[in-house]
Amino acid sequence: MSKSDVQLSKFLSLVLRHKPDEIGITLDEAGWVPVSELLEALHRAGRGMLREQLVQIVSGSDKQRFALSDDGSRIRANQGHSVQVELGYEPAEPPEMLFHGTSEKSVESIRHDGLQKRKRHHVHLSPTRQTAAAVGSRHGKLVLLEVRGGAMHRDGFAFYRTPNNVRLTDEVPVKYVVFPDRAVGE
């Protein structure tokens, strides 16, 4: 994606996950908004784009942050909301091992409290080290945590799988987190 498309993608993440009122849109209970309404609101906010550009951003996102409805008339973020939505993902058995990228400054808190959803609806876990590293490196010096997803599932924790293959759960207690000896790259 071009630099301007990346900036628009980040802005879409903001309004479709956290602040729809910033451009005057309302998400339905499952997080969807009509594409036409979104495009009009973006134009009014000085961030106008054509439908074709929106489709390109949705399909070109390496993290597949957004989804279009089957008929292309609605859009939503796949996960990461801080506003109340019910995404409707069905429970799914996770892989034995999942990954979570975080910053070095967050490790002590995680060692004490485990992984918590905080202001989001779920804890986000990646099925690959690469994806977790890409997410975690945005927040400072990367620490890559392993999460024993299979053990959690066998112990009764629910997991959900998003269309972009992220695994969601309510929390990850410390006993399921495998901490590395040092930060990545040391």
Side-chain angles (χ1 to χ4, degrees):
M1 285 196 300
S2 71
K3 186 175 181 177
S4 65
D5 284 351
V6 169
Q7 290 174 333
L8 284 169
S9 178
K10 288 180 179 185
F11 188 70
L12 287 173
S13 289
L14 176 72
V15 299
L16 293 176
R17 289 172 157 179
H18 310 295
K19 296 181 177 183
D21 55 325
E22 186 158 309
I23 62 169
I25 60 172
T26 302
L27 307 179
D28 73 10
E29 65 279 350
W32 295 101
V33 64
V35 169
S36 58
E37 184 180 318
L38 174 66
L39 291 172
E40 288 172 20
L42 288 169
H43 180 75
R44 286 191 308 271
R47 303 244 186 179
M49 70 171 76
L50 299 173
R51 178 180 291 270
E52 294 76 20
Q53 187 179 15
L54 179 66
V55 170
Q56 180 182 342
I57 289 171
V58 171
S59 64
S61 170
D62 59 340
K63 295 180 184 148
Q64 295 296 296
R65 288 184 174 100
F66 313 107
L68 288 168
S69 60
D70 289 340
D71 65 1
S73 68
R74 298 177 301 147
I75 186 171
R76 75 175 180 182
N78 280 323
Q79 78 270 332
H81 299 80
S82 59
V83 295
Q84 187 59 44
V85 295
E86 181 53 55
L87 298 172
Y89 297 139
E90 295 294 322
E93 187 173 340
E96 277 301 310
M97 196 62 72
L98 290 163
F99 304 93
H100 183 82
T102 192
S103 67
E104 191 174 48
K105 66 181 179 239
S106 299
V107 172
E108 197 54 43
S109 171
I110 295 168
R111 283 187 192 279
H112 184 266
D113 300 325
L115 292 166
Q116 301 294 316
K117 60 186 173 183
R118 302 200 189 280
K119 292 181 181 178
R120 294 190 178 194
H121 295 277
H122 296 97
V123 173
H124 297 196
L125 302 169
S126 301
T128 68
R129 291 176 187 273
Q130 180 182 11
T131 303
V135 172
S137 63
R138 298 180 314 191
H139 304 291
K141 192 168 194 176
L142 173 65
V143 175
L144 194 58
L145 305 174
E146 296 180 355
V147 173
R148 296 177 27 235
M152 282 183 65
H153 188 259
R154 287 187 292 279
D155 287 348
F157 288 86
F159 284 84
Y160 305 90
R161 181 176 178 218
T162 68
N164 59 343
N165 217 18
V166 171
R167 297 322 199 280
L168 307 175
T169 191
D170 287 333
E171 66 173 323
V172 179
V174 175
K175 75 179 195 173
Y176 300 104
V177 180
V178 179
F179 294 89
D181 293 333
R182 60 190 188 286
V184 175
E186 285 186 0

